[in-house]
Amino acid sequence: MYSAVQPSGNLTIGNFTGAIRNWVRMQNDFDCFYAIADMHAITVRQDPALLRRRTIELAALYLACGLDPEKCTLYVQSQVSAHAELGWILNTIAYVGEMERMTQFKDKSQKHADNINMGLMDYPVLMAADILLYQADYVPVGIDQKQHVEITRDLAIRFNHRYGDTFRVPEPYILKEGAKIMSLQDPMKKMSKSDENLNASVFLADDRDTVIRKFKRAVTDSDSEIRISDEKPGITNLLNIYAAFKGCTLQDAEREFQGSGYGDFKLAVGETVADALAPVQEKQKRLLADKAYLNDVLKSGAENAFRAARRTLSKVCRKIGFYRGE
Ligand code: TYM
């Protein structure tokens, strides 16, 4: 199992329900590697001090959400140089055309029109390197990253075809509920860490009043029926959030609120989310007070990751003909 989150902003409940929540569930049954993708984060401009702070905060958040360093490997991507090395090699089998077609590249190029750097276009290749280094079978992500896992599969298959069996071909692991949380202000748009409208996203760090206020203000429709429908994207999104946090299905959530008014419904969603976030925030705060412990976790995580990554990288170097002595 392999996945990562970028330390590029305050995490939203989408990052939690689409990714981290599912990571926690898998750690007992799989050999899991979970990274903090700081090398991906710098494809858009980052303030260096802030990037450093967000990295350690994200490490604390991983633990606070229930990831156990005894059961899985938690590490910072840039501390394992094999990612950059394999990324370079994979660049030579990745085509410019296919990278230009990636939805995230197109979105980010629009959003950061003054900084369309090579890294932004190369982003999926580095992500493929992340995943393939660890010979992952599954990649737990939200729907927005599915395309990147698919290109990872394409690159793995292409490499295996050209140089002989080297990489395992991974599959995305996506749970229905919570895999695509939409903005509370525009339910046709994905909820995102970097949305400028602060009311659009619920952050994992938001306090109870803020969470409840944001849900109260969530854009819905002028109708009054609570049901799942493409014509009711705001209500469907709230039902989805509720289901993801309650651990029930979307249909169960719909049944529960049949006949309720929008006001009561929004309050119930807000309270459910706030109740779930409070213990995570508390634990994250406690962990951040013990930097030595966090550094130890990341250090042994990076050592572990390096060992696993090096095995794959050596194999790759051999296959492509890099000289390592006769
Ligand atoms: P990032 O940091 O944008 O998002 C982290 C994870 O959160 C999921 N996610 C969502 N899920 C549901 N609803 C949303 N609104 C929502 N927004 C984000 C994302 O799908 C993701 O799973 N490229 C990755 C980081 C990465 C990675 C990897 C992931 C780097 N290397 C290797 C998997 C494997 C990213 O940008 O995630």
Side-chain angles (χ1 to χ4, degrees), residues 2-8 11-20 23 37 40 77 104 108 123 126-128 130-131 139-146 148-149 178-183 190-193:
Y2 188 93
S3 201
V5 172
Q6 298 182 76
S8 54
L11 263 61
T12 71
I13 54 171
N15 299 128
F16 179 71
T17 61
I20 303 176
W23 303 1
H40 279 101
Q77 182 191 31
Q104 183 177 298
K108 287 200 176 172
Y123 184 111
L126 180 60
M127 187 162 152
D130 296 347
I131 298 166
V139 185
V141 284
I143 286 176
D144 65 314
Q145 293 297 317
K146 190 165 171 243
H148 289 161
V149 182
K180 191 170 189 190
I181 302 292
M182 309 308 280
S183 152
K190 186 189 80 162
M191 185 182 284
S192 155
K193 292 186 202 103

